[in-house]
Amino acid sequence: MFHDRADGGQQLAERLSQYAGRKDVIVLGIPRGGVPVAFEVAQALGVPLDILLVRKLGTPGQRELAMGAIASGGVRILNEDVVRELGITQADVESAVREQQVELQRREEYFRGSRTAVSVEGKTVIVVDDGIATGSSMLAAIEALRTLHPGRIVVATPVAPPQVRARMLKSADGFVTVHTPERFFAIGEFYEDFSQTEDSEVRDLLRRAAASPATAQGAA
């Protein structure tokens, strides 16, 4: 359905044309794979581009089980039910936060360089990823983003199975996709080129977006 992530972003931007040129709109890409898609969307709409980094807080001894997450902007969310049921101590929580905060800060500094994060307060925020399979990671991103008080959150992705729409609309204010195939095994099957997005590419795309007259005009 898509040649690569750039093609996915260009097709997705056509579905988001009502947001073009609006000064209250920001596009946030989910690193790493969501950023090449988000770059094309932001360029086509003429609005600013930034990233939304989310790091899962794994439970002690079961790191794949999330007890919460931290995100860009100093956001911290906890699943109090998991914390209570597993008897997780405050010390355990703080230890997990410190560990993930180091990695989140390292990535933010690498990706953004000296540029500060774009404020989302009161804005319409379009959160972009290269595909959504189950929606669990995106739901965590939405929950984190809510604490920064955006005016409206729109989730946008080139491809997602039909059942994802209902899940997204329970938390987000809008959901936009290009394709919703019934047969869905993996995001990569819908791209001819689904090679890994490198950290250096994310950094370069953010730098290019910051220097672009189109996005600068949208941010003015």
Side-chain angles (χ1 to χ4, degrees), residues 123-201:
K123 302 291 182 66
T124 293
V125 181
I126 302 174
V127 186
V128 177
D129 209 349
D130 55 10
I132 300 176
T134 65
S136 298
S137 297
M138 182 60 79
L139 289 174
I142 296 168
E143 185 177 356
L145 187 57
R146 284 286 182 205
T147 69
L148 300 177
H149 311 295
R152 192 165 185 266
I153 297 175
V154 177
V155 174
T157 186
V159 61
Q163 63 270 24
V164 163
R165 175 179 295 275
R167 294 195 71 192
M168 293 298 104
L169 291 178
K170 288 181 179 179
S171 298
D173 304 298
F175 178 71
V176 178
T177 187
V178 179
H179 293 295
T180 52
E182 293 287 347
R183 176 188 172 277
F184 192 108
F185 294 108
I187 296 169
E189 67 179 315
F190 301 100
Y191 289 85
E192 294 177 8
D193 178 1
F194 198 64
S195 54
Q196 179 173 294
T197 303
E198 301 295 337
D199 285 353
S200 57
E201 181 181 355

Side-chain angles (χ1 to χ4, degrees), residues 22-23 25-28 42 46-50 118 209 214-216 218-220:
R22 285 176 42 177
K23 294 183 179 180
V25 174
I26 296 169
V27 172
L28 297 183
V47 301
L49 171 69
D50 204 352
V118 177
T215 55

